[in-house]
């Protein structure tokens, strides 16, 4: 992070913390306004982009950085920034910025045979809003995630791109589309998932290494005491600031793929549904990664190339697609070369 980004983050933190100190809980609308201001400053959004993002947020009763009334973050943005400064951690990467055409994105490529400059796509280094020491945006539907990425000039990632970013090797798409012919989406996803997970089980790894470890990623937080699985009024999004665990890094320099928040991705059942090939209709929802309690409770597998069951499944662009208190997303971007 540059000093400019630290000042922006500090402004956000001090503004919200001052309200808390005065006994005021920031409203969701206030939280969103601060977030948009920070995105404009860090990512250089145009007035048109900012207005479109604000409109998408306004269409949701819950999307933001957690229900302000009950969310209890274990670390503040200000603490995150101080800790990174003390560790001399610098997330700004001029090479990546030149390749990807924007801040805090990493090239997607296979280091065994390619260089970063040969990447055909990039991925956000952090969960949306893709700003170090900002809390991820939660309670976002898959459709809203795709719309927000598009508003920034990006797109939702395909499942294999997220997996490659985590594993440290972007491989060719491995979707066995023939398994989706003549069957329901649920059956297709079950069959494709089983074949995929069998193929990669022997080489499983996490973003940070070959074995699951505690204390490495943003996974030591807790659920709200009365959280019953997905209730806005009872389930706080008790996430950490993005990048507050610098060791939670993949070989391609992508952060928080494990822990903090699970993430929406696009799972195509046909080549025409691949975001990486320009699809606007997209495929089906795929949940990637893990979330903020995994140090004490591993709710499911979370190795890099693992594909989840069809939990709360729908088409990505379904207006009723799933949202939850621990579910976020990150964007990808196709490079023009």
């Amino acid at each position: 992070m540059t000093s400019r980004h630290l000042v922006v983050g500090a402004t956000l933190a001090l503004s919200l913390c001052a309200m808390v100190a005065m006994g005021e809980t920031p409203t969701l609308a206030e939280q969103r306004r601060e977030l948009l201001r920070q995105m404009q400053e860090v990512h250089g959004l145009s007035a048109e982009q900012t207005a479109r993002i604000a409109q998408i947020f306004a269409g949701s009763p819950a999307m933001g950085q957690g229900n302000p009334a009950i969310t209890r973050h274990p670390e503040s943005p200000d603490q995150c920034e101080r800790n990174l400064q003390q560790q001399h951690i610098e997330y700004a990467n001029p090479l990546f910025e030149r390749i990807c055409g924007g801040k805090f994105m990493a090239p997607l490529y296979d280091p065994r045979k390619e260089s970063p400059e040969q990447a055909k796509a990039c991925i956000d280094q952090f969960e949306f809003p893709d700003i170090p020491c900002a809390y991820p945006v939660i309670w976002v539907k898959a459709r809203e995630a795709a719309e927000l990425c598009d508003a920034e000039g990006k797109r939702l990632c395909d499942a294999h791109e997220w997996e490659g970013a985590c594993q440290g090797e972007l491989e060719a798409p491995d979707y066995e589309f023939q398994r989706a012919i003549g069957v329901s989406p649920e059956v297709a996803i079950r069959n494709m998932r089983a074949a995929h997970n069998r193929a990669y089980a022997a080489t499983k790894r996490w973003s940070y290494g070959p074995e699951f470890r505690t204390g490495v990623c943003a996974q030591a937080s807790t659920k709200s005491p009365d959280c019953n699985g997905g209730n806005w009024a009872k389930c706080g999004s008790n996430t950490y600031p993005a990048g507050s665990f610098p060791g939670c890094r993949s070989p391609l320099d992508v952060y928080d793929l494990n822990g903090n928040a699970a993430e929406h991705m696009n799972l195509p059942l046909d080549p025409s549904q691949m975001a990486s090939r320009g699809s606007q209709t997209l495929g089906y929802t795929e949940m990637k990664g893990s979330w903020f309690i995994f140090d004490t409770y591993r709710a499911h597998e979370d190795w890099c190339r693992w594909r989840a069951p069809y939990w709360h499944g729908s088409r990505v662009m379904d207006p009723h697609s799933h949202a939850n208190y621990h579910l976020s997303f990150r964007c990808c971007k196709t490079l023009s070369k």
Side-chain angles (χ1 to χ4, degrees):
M1 289 179 294
T2 65
S3 57
R4 175 185 171 208
H5 297 138
L6 291 173
V7 170
V8 173
T11 301
L12 173 66
L14 289 173
S15 174
L16 297 180
C17 289
M19 295 183 69
V20 173
M22 291 185 293
E24 301 175 22
T25 300
T27 66
L28 187 62
E30 289 164 340
Q31 183 191 92
R32 289 172 173 179
R33 280 197 296 271
E34 293 288 356
L35 176 61
L36 277 171
R37 185 169 68 181
Q38 193 179 22
M39 289 180 66
Q40 282 182 292
E41 178 70 19
V42 174
H43 293 308
L45 300 180
S46 68
E48 182 180 353
Q49 288 175 311
T50 303
R52 188 175 171 203
I53 290 170
Q55 184 179 33
I56 296 167
F57 271 84
S60 168
M63 183 167 44
Q65 291 162 310
N67 180 347
I70 59 169
T71 291
R72 300 293 179 265
H73 298 292
E75 184 177 301
S76 72
D78 188 53
Q79 289 172 317
C80 171
E81 289 165 353
R82 286 200 307 268
N83 291 340
L84 292 177
Q85 286 180 321
Q86 290 169 3
Q87 297 174 69
H88 304 289
I89 300 295
E90 174 62 63
Y91 286 132
N93 188 316
L95 174 62
F96 285 5
E97 188 172 337
R98 178 173 59 80
I99 293 170
C100 299
K103 290 182 171 63
F104 306 125
M105 298 198 79
L108 284 170
Y109 66 105
D110 187 343
R112 296 170 297 184
K113 56 186 179 182
E114 296 172 311
S115 68
E117 291 85 354
Q118 292 174 289
K120 296 180 176 61
C122 290
I123 188 170
D124 286 348
Q125 290 183 284
F126 307 96
E127 291 156 337
F128 190 90
D130 190 33
I131 298 173
C133 292
Y135 298 121
V137 167
I138 311 292
W139 286 109
V140 56
K141 296 177 180 178
R143 181 189 180 100
E144 294 164 338
E147 291 172 339
L148 286 167
C149 290
D150 185 66
E152 284 197 298
K154 303 178 184 179
R155 58 172 174 79
L156 201 61
C157 304
D158 285 334
H160 79 280
E161 294 178 300
W162 190 100
E163 294 160 5
C166 183
Q167 189 85 9
E169 298 166 350
L170 179 68
E171 295 185 348
D174 70 321
Y175 311 106
E176 297 187 25
F177 294 127
Q178 72 276 9
R179 296 180 183 272
I181 297 173
V183 298
S184 69
E186 291 86 349
V187 171
I189 290 168
R190 183 175 69 237
N191 293 344
M192 292 169 70
R193 169 185 180 266
H196 172 91
N197 289 348
R198 281 196 303 269
Y200 286 104
T203 57
K204 70 171 65 172
R205 63 161 284 147
W206 285 256
S207 58
Y208 48 81
E211 302 291 337
F212 176 83
R213 293 165 56 198
T214 60
V216 179
C217 294
Q219 300 180 160
S221 189
T222 58
K223 289 175 68 173
S224 302
D226 296 327
C227 179
N228 59 359
N231 186 303
W232 163 259
K234 294 184 179 180
C235 296
S237 300
N238 303 330
T239 55
Y240 292 81
S244 55
F245 286 77
C248 190
R249 177 180 68 88
S250 82
L252 295 189
D253 287 335
V254 184
Y255 297 83
D256 299 335
L257 292 157
N258 296 106
N260 220 21
E263 302 179 24
H264 287 297
M265 292 294 138
N266 177 54
L267 182 67
L269 300 190
D270 180 273
S272 67
Q273 297 173 1
M274 293 177 66
S276 56
R277 295 186 181 177
S279 175
Q280 297 295 309
T281 57
L282 302 180
Y284 289 78
T285 54
E286 163 78 359
M287 189 204 74
K288 310 302 289 184
S290 50
W291 44 293
F292 53 77
I293 65 166
F294 265 52
D295 273 7
T296 54
Y297 179 71
R298 294 179 68 186
H300 51 75
E301 295 278 3
D302 69 332
W303 41 280
C304 289
R305 297 200 194 273
W306 183 75
R307 289 188 185 160
Y310 193 53
W311 290 323
H312 309 287
S314 72
R315 288 296 293 260
V316 168
M317 298 307 290
D318 187 331
H320 305 292
S321 51
H322 184 60
N324 209 332
Y325 69 100
H326 57 72
L327 185 54
S328 183
F329 68 103
R330 72 180 74 211
C331 305
C332 282
K333 178 181 177 182
T334 302
L335 301 179
S336 326
K337 292 190 177 180

